[in-house]
C-alpha cells in the first residue's frame, strides 16, 4: 500500500516514514508543506495520505484545506489528519463530504505505534478513525434529549462506535462479549431511531448523521 | 603671620547672590515676561478698549499661551502641558473651559506679573545706581534739589548702603516673583487637578493593559516553544521506542522490558507536557478562539458540561485568555469541590462586553474570600477591568458570572 506523508517537523516525518515502512507501507513521498503534498498526491496516487493540520507557511489549517482538496479531487485517496489539538470544526469539515476513508487523530497518538497503525490501516481500508477526544467534543455539542435516553454503558458503546471501532474492538475495550456489544448497539439504534447497518464505517456515518456533523 | 580664615558662607552667598546664575536667569525670565503682559495692561488702562480687547484676547490667547509656554520652558525649564490635544476643535475648548482660563491669565495675571516684574527690574537699576553713587555724584550740578554743594555728604553713604542692600535682596525677590508667576501660569494654562487625575488614570490603565498583554504574550511564546520543540521530540522518541517494541523480537526479555518501560514513560511525559502546555496558553485558543478552546476543556471535564457559545467575533487575545482560564478553573472546581453532576456554561457577547455564566448543580457553599482559586479568578477578571460575581448558597447551586470588556 502506498502512503504519502505531509509533516513539517523533520523528526516526526522521518519517524512516520520509518513506522509506515516497518508495517509494510510504501512511502514514495514525505513532504513538509501543503503545496508539495498536492503535487505528490497527483504524482503518486497513494491509497492513504497522512497530513499534519498545521503546516507552513501560515501554520494554521493548511493541512485541513489540503485534505479537503484531496478528498474532492481524488475521492479514492484516504486521508488521516494529525493535529496538535482537537478542533471539532476540522473534523466536521472533513466528515461532511464522506465518512469513509477519513481519520482525525491527535498527534501524540502516533507515539503508540500499534494504535496508530491500526487506525491508519482502518482509514486506508475505507473505514473511519476518530480520536476519542474528537468524539467527546462532538458528543458534547449534541448533548440533546435522545442521547439522554441511553444508559451509561450504551453511551460508552456509542462513543467507541463513533471512533470507528468494530464490535470485537468494542468488546475488548469494555471487557464484555461480542453478543453483548451487538445487543447494546441494537438498543442504541432503537433508541436513536436509526436503521441498523453492517459495515463499520456506515455505523459511524449513521452516528455522525445523527450528531448532525454531516448533512 | 596673618592667617586668613574662611569667610562665613552666608555673607559670601549674599555678596555673590546678585551676580549668580540664578539671579541672571530670573531677571531674564521676568524681563521676557514684561512685553507679553504689557499689551493687555496698556489696553486695560483705557476702559474704552475693553470692547475689542476681550474678543481679541480670546482669539489671540493661543498665541500668547504658546509664547508664555516657551518662555517658561526655555528660561525656567518648566513645561506646562497643554490641556487639550493639539488641534482640538473650538467646541471642545469651550466645553473644557480652557479658553476662559487662558483669557483670565492673559487679561489679569500676566499684566499684574508684568508690572511686578517691571518694578523689580527697575529696582535692579536703582540698586546699581545707588550703590555706585560715589562714582558719579560729581556729575550732578550743584545747587539743584539733589545736591546742595560740593564734597561728599553722609547722605551718599546711606544711599550707597541702601543700594547694596537692595542688590543683595533682589535675587530673592526675583525668585519669589518668578515662582509666583510659574504657579499662576501652571494653574491657569496647564491642566487642572481633575485633568491630571484623568490623565493619570488613562496612563495607568494603559500601562496595566501593557503588563497584562506582555505576560500573556510571554505565556504564548513559552507554549509555542514547548509545543514545537520539546513535545515534537518526545513524540518522536516515543514513536521510535514504540517501533522498537514492534520490530525487535530476538532480544532478551529484560531488554524488551526496559524498552517497554521507556515507551510508557515517554507517553506519560507527553501527557504531562500536554497538560502543562494547556495550562499555559493553549494553541487552539490562539488559532481557533474561545469557542473551540472551551469545547476542548468541556469535553475533557469529568462533569458533563452543556456549552452554549454565542460569539459573533473574536475578542482581544488577553480577554480570551482570562475567559479561558476562568472557565477552566471553574470547571475544575465544580468537579473537585462542588460534587456537581452537570455544569451549564454560557458565553454571550453584547456590543462591547463578554458575558460568561457558569452554573453547577453541586453542593454550593463556595466562598471567594476563602478559596485562593476563586480569589485568583476575581483578580484575573479585575486585571482587564472585568467583574466577577459568585453566588453559592449552601446546598447549591453555584453560579459564577463574569463580564469582561471585549477590547482592552
Amino acid at each position: 500500500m502506498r502512503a504519502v506523508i505531509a509533516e513539517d517537523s523533520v523528526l516526526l516525518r522521518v519517524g512516520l516514514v520509518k513506522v509506515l515502512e516497518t508495517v509494510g507501507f510504501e512511502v514514495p513521498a514525505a513532504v513538509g508543506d501543503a503545496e508539495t503534498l498536492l503535487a505528490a498526491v497527483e504524482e503518486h496516487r497513494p491509497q492513504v495520505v497522512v497530513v499534519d493540520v498545521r503546516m507552513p507557511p501560515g501554520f494554521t489549517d493548511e493541512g485541513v484545506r489540503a485534505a479537503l482538496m484531496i478528498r474532492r479531487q481524488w475521492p479514492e485517496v484516504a486521508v488521516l489528519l494529525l493535529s496538535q489539538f482537537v478542533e471539532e470544526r476540522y473534523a466536521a469539515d472533513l466528515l461532511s463530504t464522506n465518512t469513509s476513508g477519513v481519520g482525525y487523530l491527535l498527534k501524540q497518538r502516533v507515539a503508540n505505534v500499534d494504535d496508530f497503525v491500526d487506525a491508519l490501516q482502518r482509514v486506508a481500508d475505507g473505514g473511519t478513525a476518530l480520536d476519542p477526544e474528537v468524539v467527546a467534543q462532538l458528543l458534547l455539542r449534541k448533548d440533546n434529549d435522545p442521547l439522554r435516553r441511553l444508559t451509561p454503558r450504551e453511551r460508552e458503546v456509542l462513543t467507541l462506535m463513533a471512533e470507528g471501532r468494530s464490535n470485537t474492538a468494542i468488546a475488548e475495550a469494555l471487557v464484555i462479549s461480542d453478543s453483548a456489544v451487538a445487543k447494546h448497539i441494537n438498543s442504541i439504534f432503537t433508541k436513536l431511531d436509526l436503521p441498523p447497518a453492517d459495515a463499520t464505517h456506515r455505523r459511524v456515518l449513521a452516528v455522525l448523521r445523527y450528531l448532525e456533523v454531516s448533512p | 603671620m596673618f592667617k586668613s580664615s574662611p569667610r562665613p558662607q552666608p555673607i559670601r552667598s549674599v555678596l555673590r547672590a546678585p551676580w549668580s546664575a540664578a539671579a541672571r536667569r530670573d531677571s531674564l525670565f521676568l524681563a521676557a515676561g514684561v512685553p507679553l503682559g504689557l499689551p493687555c495692561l496698556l489696553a486695560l488702562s483705557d476702559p474704552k478698549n475693553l470692547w475689542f480687547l476681550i474678543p481679541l484676547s480670546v482669539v489671540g490667547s493661543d498665541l500668547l499661551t504658546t509664547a508664555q509656554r516657551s518662555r517658561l520652558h526655555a528660561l525656567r525649564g518648566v513645561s506646562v502641558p497643554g490641556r487639550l490635544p493639539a488641534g482640538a476643535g473650538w467646541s471642545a475648548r469651550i466645553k473644557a473651559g480652557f479658553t476662559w482660563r487662558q483669557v483670565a491669565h492673559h487679561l489679569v495675571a500676566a499684566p499684574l506679573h508684568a508690572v511686578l516684574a517691571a518694578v523689580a527690574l527697575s529696582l535692579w537699576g536703582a540698586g546699581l545706581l545707588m550703590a555706585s553713587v560715589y562714582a558719579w555724584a560729581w556729575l550732578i550740578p550743584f545747587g539743584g534739589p539733589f545736591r546742595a554743594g560740593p564734597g561728599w555728604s553722609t547722605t551718599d553713604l546711606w544711599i550707597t548702603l541702601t543700594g547694596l542692600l537692595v542688590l543683595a535682596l533682589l535675587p530673592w525677590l526675583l525668585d519669589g516673583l518668578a515662582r509666583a508667576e510659574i504657579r499662576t501660569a501652571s494653574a491657569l494654562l496647564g491642566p487642572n487637578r481633575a485633568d491630571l487625575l484623568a490623565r493619570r488614570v488613562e496612563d495607568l490603565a494603559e500601562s496595566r493593559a501593557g503588563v497584562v498583554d506582555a505576560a500573556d504574550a510571554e505565556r504564548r511564546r513559552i507554549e509555542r516553544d514547548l509545543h514545537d520543540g520539546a513535545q515534537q521530540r518526545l513524540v518522536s522518541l516515543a514513536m521510535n521506542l514504540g517501533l522498537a517494541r514492534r520490530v525487535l523480537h530476538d532480544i532478551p526479555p529484560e531488554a524488551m522490558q526496559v524498552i517497554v518501560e521507556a515507551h510508557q514513560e515517554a507517553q506519560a511525559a507527553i501527557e504531562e507536557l500536554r497538560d502543562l502546555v494547556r495550562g499555559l496558553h493553549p494553541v487552539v485558543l490562539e488559532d481557533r478562539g474561545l469557542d473551540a478552546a472551551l469545547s476542548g476543556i468541556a469535553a475533557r471535564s469529568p462533569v458533563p458540561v452543556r456549552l452554549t457559545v454565542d460569539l459573533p467575533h473574536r475578542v482581544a487575545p488577553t480577554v480570551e485568555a482570562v475567559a479561558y482560564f476562568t472557565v477552566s478553573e471553574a470547571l475544575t472546581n465544580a468537579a473537585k469541590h462542588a460534587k456537581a453532576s452537570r455544569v451549564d456554561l454560557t458565553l454571550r457577547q453584547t456590543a462591547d462586553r463578554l458575558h460568561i455564566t457558569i452554573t453547577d448543580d453541586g453542593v454550593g457553599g463556595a466562598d471567594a474570600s476563602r478559596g485562593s482559586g476563586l480569589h485568583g479568578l476575581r483578580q484575573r477578571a479585575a486585571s482587564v477591568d472585568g467583574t466577577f460575581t459568585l453566588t453559592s448558597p449552601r446546598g447549591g447551586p453555584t453560579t459564577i458570572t463574569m463580564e469582561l470588556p471585549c477590547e482592552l
Side-chain angles (χ1 to χ4, degrees), chain A residues 33-89:
Chain A
D33 65 89
E35 220 167 285
T36 332
L37 167 67
L38 292 177
V41 173
E42 165 97 76
E43 189 188 336
H44 302 291
R45 293 299 167 86
Q47 273 82 40
V48 62
V49 177
V50 181
V51 195
D52 183 8
V53 168
R54 285 157 61 96
M55 276 195 296
F59 291 99
T60 52
D61 59 353
E62 283 78 5
V64 178
R65 279 186 272 135
L68 289 173
M69 222 176 278
I70 291 169
R71 295 296 288 164
R72 254 201 313 277
Q73 229 163 322
W74 303 283
E76 73 284 358
V77 178
V79 173
L80 175 64
L81 271 183
L82 295 180
S83 174
Q84 301 259 30
F85 50 81
V86 174
E87 164 56 90
E88 59 194 58
R89 221 160 313 155

Side-chain angles (χ1 to χ4, degrees), chain A residues 7-9 11-16 18-19 22-23 52 54 59-61 84-90 93 106-114 117 133 136-137 140-141 143 148, chain B residues 224 227-228 231-236 238-243 246-247 263 267 270-271 274 278 283-284 287-288 291-300 304-307 309 342:
Chain A
E7 159 67 60
D8 60 296
S9 156
L11 263 179
L12 279 184
R13 190 162 70 220
V14 172
L16 281 171
K18 227 186 313 177
V19 167
T22 309
V23 299
D52 183 8
R54 285 157 61 96
F59 291 99
T60 52
D61 59 353
Q84 301 259 30
F85 50 81
V86 174
E87 164 56 90
E88 59 194 58
R89 221 160 313 155
Y90 292 159
D93 284 352
L106 282 179
K107 226 175 195 180
Q108 70 196 69
R109 305 281 178 225
V110 303
N112 196 328
V113 175
D114 289 340
V117 168
E133 282 204 25
Q137 278 197 38
L140 165 83
R141 286 307 175 96
D143 185 10
R148 288 196 198 174
Chain B
R224 280 250 181 250
H227 232 141
D228 295 342
Q231 202 174 18
Q232 305 265 22
R233 275 175 190 282
L234 266 180
V235 169
S236 169
M239 190 162 64
N240 279 316
L241 287 169
L243 204 56
R246 202 183 159 98
V247 296
H263 187 221
Q267 282 181 288
I270 292 170
E271 270 308 317
R274 210 171 124 79
R278 203 178 273 144
V283 190
V284 61
D287 286 358
R288 312 293 297 183
D291 189 355
L294 289 184
S295 57
I297 42 174
R300 285 192 300 273
V305 179
R306 185 205 295 268
L307 176 66
V309 180
R342 68 174 300 112

Side-chain angles (χ1 to χ4, degrees), chain B residues 164-204:
Chain B
L164 285 175
L165 187 70
V166 167
L167 285 184
L169 292 179
L170 252 181
W172 282 277
L173 178 68
L174 295 177
D175 185 53
L177 278 175
R179 277 166 197 274
E181 192 177 334
I182 289 165
R183 212 168 300 139
T184 356
S186 302
L188 289 174
L189 299 181
N192 60 21
R193 210 177 131 74
D195 294 331
L196 285 175
L197 281 177
R199 195 168 294 179
R200 177 114 185 94
V201 168
E202 248 167 58
D203 289 351
L204 285 176

Side-chain angles (χ1 to χ4, degrees), chain B residues 43-365:
Chain B
L44 280 174
S45 61
D46 188 349
K48 272 195 299 201
N49 295 343
L50 272 177
W51 68 268
F52 75 87
L53 186 76
I54 289 178
L56 191 71
S57 58
V58 171
V59 176
S61 66
D62 270 4
L63 276 176
L64 280 171
T65 304
T66 310
Q68 290 281 21
R69 274 212 186 101
S70 50
R71 178 172 74 103
L72 285 162
H73 186 71
L75 295 168
R76 285 291 299 227
V78 177
S79 43
V80 178
R83 193 176 165 200
L84 295 166
W90 276 103
S91 59
R93 291 164 164 278
I94 288 165
K95 238 182 264 161
F98 183 48
T99 303
W100 308 118
R101 290 200 295 148
Q102 265 194 159
V103 170
H105 183 265
H106 297 308
L107 279 182
V108 183
L112 188 68
H113 287 306
V115 170
L116 291 175
V119 170
L121 293 170
S122 316
L123 280 179
W124 253 123
L128 284 174
L129 218 56
M130 287 159 83
S132 59
V133 67
Y134 282 108
W136 51 268
W138 52 273
L139 284 169
I140 300 171
F142 302 139
F146 298 107
R147 212 156 187 81
W152 311 110
S153 66
T154 46
T155 322
D156 288 348
L157 183 65
W158 286 118
I159 291 174
T160 307
L161 285 177
T162 313
L164 285 175
L165 187 70
V166 167
L167 285 184
L169 292 179
L170 252 181
W172 282 277
L173 178 68
L174 295 177
D175 185 53
L177 278 175
R179 277 166 197 274
E181 192 177 334
I182 289 165
R183 212 168 300 139
T184 356
S186 302
L188 289 174
L189 299 181
N192 60 21
R193 210 177 131 74
D195 294 331
L196 285 175
L197 281 177
R199 195 168 294 179
R200 177 114 185 94
V201 168
E202 248 167 58
D203 289 351
L204 285 176
E206 205 169 289
S207 68
R208 187 193 57 185
V211 168
V212 173
D213 275 346
D216 196 46
E218 184 63 12
R219 265 209 309 269
R220 278 203 294 269
R221 190 190 61 73
I222 296 172
E223 187 282 330
R224 280 250 181 250
D225 288 353
L226 285 176
H227 232 141
D228 295 342
Q231 202 174 18
Q232 305 265 22
R233 275 175 190 282
L234 266 180
V235 169
S236 169
L237 167 70
M239 190 162 64
N240 279 316
L241 287 169
L243 204 56
R245 257 175 99 166
R246 202 183 159 98
V247 296
L248 297 177
H249 297 298
D250 45 0
I251 58 165
E254 298 83 33
M256 180 48 91
Q257 185 59 30
V258 171
I259 292 174
V260 167
E261 277 169 18
H263 187 221
Q264 283 163 353
E265 280 296 310
Q267 282 181 288
I270 292 170
E271 270 308 317
E272 258 177 48
L273 188 62
R274 210 171 124 79
D275 286 344
L276 173 71
V277 166
R278 203 178 273 144
L280 283 170
H281 189 109
V283 190
V284 61
L285 180 59
E286 196 176 340
D287 286 358
R288 312 293 297 183
L290 262 181
D291 189 355
L294 289 184
S295 57
I297 42 174
R300 285 192 300 273
S301 161
V303 182
V305 179
R306 185 205 295 268
L307 176 66
T308 320
V309 180
D310 180 18
L311 300 176
H313 44 79
R314 292 190 61 171
V315 301
T318 304
V319 175
E320 279 188 343
V322 170
Y324 175 85
F325 289 115
T326 308
V327 170
S328 172
E329 176 84 24
L331 289 183
T332 310
N333 280 347
K336 253 204 319 215
H337 306 301
K339 302 185 186 76
S341 71
R342 68 174 300 112
V343 176
D344 273 308
L345 171 57
T346 313
L347 271 87
R348 204 159 44 77
Q349 194 176 342
T350 56
D352 59 344
R353 303 291 276 183
L354 175 64
H355 306 262
I356 304 170
T357 317
I358 307 155
T359 310
D360 70 53
D361 60 355
V363 294

